[in-house]
Amino acid sequence: MKPPDGPDFSARWAALRNIPPFLRMVWQASPALTLAMIALRLARAMVPVAMLWLAKLIIDEVVVLSQSGGPATLAGWWDSGLADTLLVLVALELALAVAQDLLGRAVSYTDALLQEKLVIDISIRLMDHAAGLDLASFEDASFQDRLDRARRQTMGRIPLLGQVMQQMQDVLTVASFAVGLILYNPWLVALLALALIPSLMGEMHFNARTYALNHARAADRRERDYLRMIAATAETAKEVKIFGLSPWLRDRYLTLARRFYEENRAIQRRQLTVMAALTALGTLAYYAAFLWIIARTLTGTLTIGDLTFLSGSFLRLRGLMEGLLSGFSRMAGEAMYLDDLFDFFTARPRIASPERPLPVPQPIRQGFRFEGVGFRYPGREAWAIRGMDLELGAGETVALVGENGAGKTTIVKLLARLYDPDEGRITLDGRDLRDYDLDQLRATVGVIFQDFVRYAVTAAENIAIGRIEERDDRPRIVTAAERALADQVIAKLPQGYDQMVGKRFARGLDLSGGEWQKLAIARAYMRDAQLLVLDEPTAALDARAEYEIFQRFRDLTQGRTALLISHRFSSVRMADRIIVLENGRVQDQGSHAELLSRPGRYRELFELQAQGYR
């Protein structure tokens, strides 16, 4: 497979626009460490040229002293004082050598701390930004690719910090060496710069090709990582073994991994050939300049010290400029990856609070009303619900029943404003939900979905997630557990409420499906919201346990609006009103007795279920 072409030169150059905002992020992560890093690198940049100049002075001094016919012994040189200048120069060079080592260690130390600060800061920004985006974004595959690329940049682009700082240091060092060479012959620097331009162009080209390849791989890379995860994880181990999935998963993973390998090898092989040829030009330029320096020394125009300084400066300058130009190319390449991070930060939620939001009624007096509501999920043509008219009265316990795809969970998502209707409106006490403060509204609704999350934290924290700001209120957590019958589960745990649950970590203790569900239901009681919703969270419980939980739920939510969703019609018979959904519409509604008294979908499905228990 031919690797995709990279961005053109203008796009690579334009990617450098990401450096200033990136540096602002560095500064915001830690101003003190940033200033310390700059100061240390400025000092370190001046050391190489100073040491080389001292070496030139030392050599010239040695040559002069050796030709002066001075004392024949070291003691004589010492006593005469003729070598004092030489000793001072050596002492200065020694001090610079020690300083260079100390500066290097200080730079590494500061760089490590600053990088860690930056990782933390960017990660927090990404988490906060993601938390504010719509649920629809997370259910979109292209957004998942964007999120995956952005998440990788929280760690993957951290080396860019060191590269930018090193570039600053090298620019100063190059400038100091260049000044020395220009004083002797400006053409030395010009020759060196011209010879290195082809290498720069080559580096930029291959960096761009690599970026384009990695960018195009986002979806396949997520699939590869997913295959690697499900092939060896506790959640999938049973089915992988029972169904013998390991060879299939391994082969599918290997297909993607081999393709990535072949694409990488093709680029690297081409890069090896081209860059070797371009680098040879720089080598030729160095030796041409070196011959000029030797010739000038032989004719007596330059001293031995000058020869040492110029040859050393040219060699160091060549290496520095080569590194600077290739580093600039790599920096431009790394900056292109920052597009993925900054692109993610440009994503904005469509569902948000209005400019002047209304406070949510405390308490709710009338309830929720759906008025001609229609909604379809992004990217789908079929309507999830259409022409929906229903009411949830304040303090009423309502049950939603219907087959899969009838629209039950969609109604819950709309109530919590995880989505907004495409048609019609939903009101709370006569005002559109979109008029209210979004955070207050969601705090008013406590929902436990059937696909609730099993958090690998303590039992107490699993319950406290219902109102996480009250996680230190142990009496409230205990009360919520008792209401959900989860206290019986916790009583069996070795460390009680402080027991880590789940098998993800070494100290964790796994629970059965029904035990997990009781912890999840306790979250609803912990939330103490005005509207409590149980969206089929009891699927792993037997009919008797579900009935007991639902009956208890009704008793404990007296005076609150409650919404129950279940496939088991016998479990929802205690609701004040039962709404029957079919194909995204209200097909019938009434009490259990009323719905059984007349022909209809409810009585038909109830009798089908009843036969299963005979």
Side-chain angles (χ1 to χ4, degrees):
M1 177 180 176
K2 180 183 180 294
D5 291 333
D8 58 23
F9 181 78
S10 61
R12 301 169 213 166
W13 180 265
L16 292 174
R17 72 185 183 282
N18 292 325
I19 299 298
F22 175 73
L23 291 177
R24 281 196 296 272
M25 294 174 73
V26 173
W27 173 261
Q28 291 163 0
S30 177
L33 286 173
T34 304
L35 287 174
M37 172 63 72
I38 292 172
L40 289 168
R41 288 193 176 272
L42 285 174
R44 198 179 183 200
M46 297 294 103
V47 171
V49 68
M51 290 189 69
L52 197 57
W53 182 254
L54 282 171
K56 165 200 155 30
L57 295 178
I58 289 170
I59 290 172
D60 283 342
E61 186 69 15
V62 169
V63 170
V64 169
L65 291 175
S66 65
Q67 294 175 351
S68 66
T73 64
L74 290 176
W77 283 104
W78 181 266
D79 293 336
S80 68
L82 296 173
D84 287 353
T85 301
L86 179 61
L87 291 174
V88 170
L89 292 173
V90 172
L92 287 174
E93 188 173 33
L94 174 62
L96 279 178
V98 172
Q100 185 177 41
D101 180 66
L102 291 176
L103 285 171
R105 294 178 186 279
V107 164
S108 298
Y109 171 76
T110 309
D111 189 52
L113 293 181
L114 187 55
Q115 288 194 24
E116 190 167 350
K117 281 272 194 179
L118 185 58
V119 169
I120 294 170
D121 193 66
I122 296 178
S123 297
I124 291 298
R125 288 189 186 201
L126 188 141
M127 292 165 66
D128 288 344
H129 189 73
L133 298 179
D134 298 336
L135 178 63
S137 297
F138 291 91
E139 295 178 346
D140 177 58
S142 62
F143 174 83
Q144 286 293 331
D145 291 341
R146 290 174 66 189
L147 177 58
D148 177 70
R149 290 194 294 264
R151 189 181 289 118
R152 288 173 181 273
Q153 304 323 311
T154 60
M155 291 292 293
R157 291 316 109 208
I158 296 308
L160 179 60
L161 172 59
Q163 290 176 355
V164 172
M165 294 296 181
Q166 187 64 49
Q167 289 290 96
M168 292 171 52
Q169 177 182 319
D170 287 349
V171 164
L172 290 171
T173 305
V174 164
S176 62
F177 275 123
V179 168
L181 288 180
I182 289 171
L183 292 175
Y184 286 96
N185 191 329
W187 288 106
L188 292 176
V189 178
L191 177 63
L192 187 58
L194 288 173
L196 292 175
I197 288 176
S199 294
L200 169 65
M201 301 298 291
E203 288 281 357
M204 293 186 69
H205 170 74
F206 286 109
N207 284 337
R209 290 285 298 276
T210 301
Y211 166 75
L213 183 62
N214 287 329
H215 187 279
R217 283 175 174 170
D220 287 341
R221 185 171 55 236
R222 282 200 303 120
E223 181 183 352
R224 181 199 62 185
D225 294 343
Y226 172 72
L227 291 169
R228 182 165 48 194
M229 180 193 70
I230 64 173
T233 186
E235 289 79 4
T236 61
K238 292 191 295 293
E239 288 200 4
V240 168
K241 290 180 180 297
I242 289 173
F243 296 127
L245 301 180
S246 183
W248 174 67
L249 292 170
R250 181 196 62 223
D251 291 346
R252 189 163 173 174
Y253 167 82
L254 193 57
T255 298
L256 287 170
R258 281 177 173 167
R259 197 183 83 210
F260 288 0
Y261 172 78
E262 291 298 331
E263 291 170 349
N264 289 338
R265 186 174 68 169
I267 287 181
Q268 290 169 6
R269 181 185 297 164
R270 178 69 175 163
Q271 185 175 10
L272 175 65
T273 304
V274 173
M275 293 308 299
L278 295 177
T279 304
L281 293 176
T283 304
L284 291 174
Y286 165 70
Y287 279 100
F290 190 48
L291 288 173
W292 178 88
I293 294 169
I294 292 173
R296 300 279 288 178
T297 305
L298 289 175
T299 58
T301 306
L302 301 176
T303 67
I304 299 298
D306 291 334
L307 171 64
T308 304
F309 176 75
L310 285 174
S311 60
S313 293
F314 195 88
L315 184 61
R316 291 291 299 275
L317 192 57
R318 178 206 170 192
L320 280 168
M321 289 186 68
E322 197 171 56
L324 194 63
L325 294 176
S326 63
F328 174 81
S329 174
R330 285 195 301 274
M331 190 172 71
E334 295 288 327
M336 286 189 288
Y337 285 95
L338 285 174
D339 281 336
D340 298 328
L341 183 64
F342 295 144
D343 175 62
F344 176 75
F345 284 133
T346 62
R348 291 290 179 268
R350 295 174 55 192
I351 299 176
S353 296
E355 258 186 60
R356 295 182 177 83
L358 295 174
V360 173
Q362 300 286 341
I364 295 173
R365 300 186 181 281
Q366 299 172 31
F368 296 84
R369 180 187 291 273
F370 284 62
E371 300 175 356
V373 172
F375 173 76
R376 53 187 170 191
Y377 287 97
R380 298 184 189 176
E381 294 185 4
W383 291 86
I385 60 175
R386 190 82 187 274
M388 177 71 69
D389 293 297
L390 65 83
E391 184 176 351
L392 303 177
E396 184 182 25
T397 298
V398 176
L400 297 180
V401 298
E403 298 181 277
N404 289 334
K408 302 185 295 297
T409 298
T410 299
I411 288 173
V412 176
K413 291 178 178 178
L414 292 171
L415 279 171
R417 274 204 81 194
L418 297 176
Y419 289 99
D420 279 336
D422 296 315
E423 296 178 347
R425 68 173 189 159
I426 304 170
T427 64
L428 169 59
D429 282 4
R431 296 297 299 264
D432 196 306
L433 287 187
R434 286 169 282 210
D435 294 337
Y436 292 106
D437 180 86
L438 183 60
D439 291 334
Q440 283 188 26
L441 177 66
R442 288 178 178 168
T444 301
V445 181
V447 185
I448 300 299
F449 291 102
Q450 67 180 73
D451 55 347
F452 59 85
V453 179
R454 304 181 181 196
Y455 294 95
V457 293
T458 66
E461 289 168 331
N462 260 282
I463 296 172
I465 281 166
R467 189 172 288 276
I468 196 63
E469 62 271 20
E470 303 294 336
R471 60 189 176 277
D472 295 326
D473 189 345
R474 183 56 62 89
R476 181 171 182 158
I477 292 172
V478 171
T479 300
E482 291 170 349
R483 289 179 171 181
L485 304 179
D487 58 325
Q488 303 167 10
V489 176
I490 295 171
K492 301 175 185 177
L493 301 177
Q495 298 179 45
Y497 285 90
D498 297 318
Q499 175 67 53
M500 180 78 73
V501 291
K503 295 296 291 181
R504 182 173 293 274
F505 303 112
R507 297 183 295 111
L509 187 67
D510 205 10
L511 305 177
S512 69
E515 290 171 331
W516 272 113
Q517 287 185 315
K518 289 179 180 178
L519 285 184
I521 293 168
R523 293 174 198 162
Y525 292 115
M526 182 72 187
R527 193 158 186 78
D528 198 26
Q530 294 197 74
L531 170 62
L532 290 173
V533 183
L534 294 186
D535 183 6
E536 300 192 74
T538 56
L541 301 176
D542 58 47
R544 180 183 295 276
E546 182 184 65
Y547 178 83
E548 182 181 359
I549 284 177
F550 276 13
Q551 186 66 54
R552 191 176 181 85
F553 181 76
R554 179 182 176 176
D555 294 342
L556 292 169
T557 55
Q558 290 295 328
R560 300 177 187 274
T561 307
L563 187 61
L564 308 177
I565 300 176
S566 176
H567 278 97
R568 294 183 181 129
F569 288 18
S570 59
S571 297
V572 297
R573 61 195 305 170
M574 78 288 292
D576 298 323
R577 186 160 48 94
I578 299 171
I579 298 175
V580 184
L581 300 178
E582 187 172 15
N583 298 324
R585 296 177 183 273
V586 176
Q587 195 266 341
D588 203 354
Q589 59 181 306
S591 67
H592 175 71
E594 290 170 345
L595 290 171
L596 282 184
S597 69
R598 58 178 178 259
R601 190 65 173 159
Y602 182 85
R603 188 168 80 176
E604 175 189 348
L605 292 174
F606 181 84
E607 290 176 350
L608 282 174
Q609 286 193 5
Q611 290 176 9
Y613 290 99
R614 291 171 185 164

